[in-house]
Amino acid sequence: MPFDSNGNYTLPTSYFVQNGDTVLPIQHNPPFEDVAQALSSVLPRSGVAPMNGDLKMGGKKVIGMADGAASTDAVTKGQLDTVSDTANKKANKAGDTFTGDMLFGPGTGGRYSKLQANGDVQLNRGDNTGFNTWNAPNAYFGWDGGRYVFGPAGGLVAYGYLQVDGPGLSTKFKPSGDIDFSGFMNTEFGPYLSTVLRGFKSGNQPYVTNGSGSVAHGLGRKPSKLSSYFVCTTAIYGWSVGDEFEVAPHAWSNQADYGITLWADTTNIFWKFPRNGLAIIGKSDGVVYAAPAANFSLRVRGAL
């Protein structure tokens, strides 16, 4: 008979004999054959036979075990307690403190990144003994032995922007070369950096004797410096198409009503020509001429 679900074994009913009964092979042999079969299904204490199925503990403990040694051995609770100890370089998710460096790697060529015991973080493509293999061809951020750099060329290798954050603030360094400032720099300087460096340059404006005009400068505040230029649109007096030269404001010629006056507000630059227009000097002969309106256009500039 097989073992029942609780591990109990029961002999076949034919085993039992009474005094005076004749023992027959058909009655005597089956019980012993059944016993032999049943004993072959048990786990010997000596360990000579392996398990051929799962060992069901039924909620009971396995006690008195030796520590596991091979990679396929079961481990004891004591072993788990030991490897969970911070002294053995294992840390809990909360509350534990590292007392030495934590290395990530080694990668190709023995390269490591490192969380250092002093609180620093070293992200590098060198090795942990002296950064002697700082030659990885890919983009990275890390320590090259003397400084922190971006990528093998020392610059930020990215297609986004580098953002430096503070309490409620951030400054962005963009791939285009632009910088978005914040805080005091944003209030006093950042938005005007480009306009301060470049100022305003108009396109061609009509040149009309005794005429006036205006153009929006977009500087956001009244420019402190104004200047005017003529650009040649049809060649004359030695000037070629595209030639540009500065003409001074209030450049009166012998008090004969030649010149230009410029002024501005926070939005526009304005100009006014007198009745005779503007006197210019011939490029080829140095002679003073009244500039023909058909040959020149006006350009104005403003700077903060």
Side-chain angles (χ1 to χ4, degrees), residues 2-168:
F3 290 97
D4 64 19
S5 59
N6 293 316
N8 298 314
Y9 174 75
T10 304
L11 285 168
T13 56
S14 62
Y15 83 96
F16 187 77
V17 296
Q18 296 181 358
N19 291 334
D21 288 347
T22 301
V23 178
L24 301 175
I26 193 173
Q27 181 184 24
H28 178 77
N29 293 341
F32 283 96
E33 292 172 352
D34 193 78
V35 169
Q37 180 181 1
L39 291 177
S40 297
S41 299
V42 301
L43 182 65
R45 294 174 60 190
S46 65
V48 296
M51 294 288 296
N52 57 18
D54 294 336
L55 180 60
K56 300 178 181 179
M57 299 303 300
K60 303 298 183 181
K61 298 178 182 178
V62 177
I63 61 176
M65 286 179 56
D67 288 345
S71 60
T72 56
D73 290 351
V75 297
T76 65
K77 182 178 182 297
Q79 284 181 292
L80 292 177
D81 290 342
T82 299
V83 298
S84 298
D85 191 347
T86 55
N88 288 275
K89 300 182 180 179
K90 303 293 182 180
N92 293 320
K93 293 174 65 176
D96 284 346
T97 302
F98 284 100
T99 58
D101 294 343
M102 183 176 182
L103 302 180
F104 295 89
T108 303
R111 302 184 180 96
Y112 287 84
S113 289
K114 181 187 297 186
L115 294 177
Q116 294 180 281
N118 64 1
D120 292 342
V121 178
Q122 283 191 356
L123 302 176
N124 66 77
R125 298 292 297 184
D127 61 48
N128 63 311
T129 59
F131 312 101
N132 296 321
T133 55
W134 185 261
N135 57 4
N138 57 306
Y140 52 82
F141 168 68
W143 178 256
D144 67 356
R147 59 178 181 161
Y148 283 100
V149 297
F150 292 95
L156 178 62
V157 182
Y159 295 99
Y161 55 77
L162 177 64
Q163 180 168 318
V164 181
D165 290 328

Side-chain angles (χ1 to χ4, degrees), residues 208-255:
V208 180
T209 58
N210 199 28
S212 60
S214 66
V215 62
H217 53 68
L219 296 175
R221 60 178 67 179
K222 184 178 179 179
S224 60
K225 178 176 175 55
L226 302 173
S227 55
S228 54
Y229 295 80
F230 261 2
V231 58
C232 181
T233 55
T234 302
I236 193 174
Y237 306 144
W239 295 103
S240 301
V241 174
D243 285 346
E244 185 180 31
F245 55 90
E246 186 173 7
V247 291
H250 309 293
W252 313 110
S253 176
N254 297 323
Q255 298 183 350

